[in-house]
Each structure stands twice: as C-alpha cells, then as structure tokens.
Amino acid sequence: MHNTSPELCKYVAGLPKGGNIEVASRLTTKDNPAGYYGHNMPRADIGDVDWDARTAIDAAGGHHMGCAEIGRISDAFEAGDSMKGAVMETVNVAPGSPKHLTPRKPCSNECAPLLPQLGISVMHN
C-alpha cells in the first residue's frame, strides 16, 4: 500500500489516459496549503517558467525544465508564495503497474539539489 496523499491521488485519477505522463507532483506552501498540482511535461524553454522561479533555478545551477516539480515551483512563485517551509510530494504515474502512485524522489540531477536551496522539503524522502 502506498502512502500518497489522497489529494495527489485524486489529481492523478483525473489525468488524461495515455501520453507521456510518468510523474505527478504536489507542492504545498504556507501561503497555499491546498497545494499546486501538475505532472511532467515538455517545456519549450525556460521562458515558460515564472521569472522569479527562473532566477532561483539559474542561481542553483540550471535545470532541464521538463519535470513535474519545476512546474509547481513556477506556479507558487507566480502566485507570490514563499518557498520557505514548502513541501513537495512526487509520485509515479503508471496505471496498471505496481509502481502506480508510489512515492518518488525528485529527479536527482536537478531537483534534488534545487529544492533544499529554495527551502522546500521533500515528502517521502
């Protein structure tokens, strides 16, 4: 049995079937405890991400920009939320597989070092 939050499970259940959705994330902040939800998706370039988020990402060494986590960070920055004390929850999206809705660590090369620099802790770490 997984220990994914019911809120993230509900978000995943509403995702379109098929496509290349492999990961979903929820970022909760003190300003928005209900959270920001999303999934992995290609982004044309860093221009698709909020300016304050881009500045933080650049300062942390850059990013590939396609993961679920970066979109939630951008959403929160766009809303003016503080990242201090925020929590990221990330799960696998693999309907029909035992991995479906299992906790997943943020992508190791970019998000793993970025999140603590922004003050974001990771659920299920």
Side-chain angles (χ1 to χ4, degrees):
M1 180 68 185
H2 59 79
N3 56 351
T4 301
S5 70
E7 298 86 359
L8 188 52
C9 290
K10 183 177 179 180
Y11 170 79
V12 170
L15 289 173
K17 306 301 180 230
N20 294 321
I21 300 173
E22 299 173 353
V23 179
S25 287
R26 173 183 182 221
L27 176 67
T28 56
T29 66
K30 292 181 181 181
D31 300 305
N32 183 1
Y36 300 94
Y37 298 83
H39 56 277
N40 65 296
M41 66 178 66
R43 290 178 181 79
D45 60 35
I46 197 164
D48 294 340
V49 176
D50 175 76
W51 177 258
D52 290 328
R54 290 190 308 224
T55 302
I57 292 160
D58 287 344
H63 200 276
H64 66 85
M65 306 309 293
C67 69
E69 296 89 354
I70 207 67
R72 308 311 48 89
I73 293 167
S74 180
D75 293 343
F77 267 110
E78 190 172 306
D81 291 8
S82 169
M83 296 298 110
K84 189 171 185 167
V87 178
M88 183 72 71
E89 178 182 19
T90 304
V91 297
N92 290 298
V93 177
S97 165
K99 287 177 49 177
H100 188 57
L101 295 176
T102 57
R104 176 182 177 134
K105 290 182 181 182
C107 54
S108 60
N109 294 335
E110 283 93 4
C111 278
L114 172 66
L115 297 178
Q117 289 181 36
L118 295 176
I120 302 169
S121 63
V122 177
M123 186 182 285
H124 311 304
N125 200 2

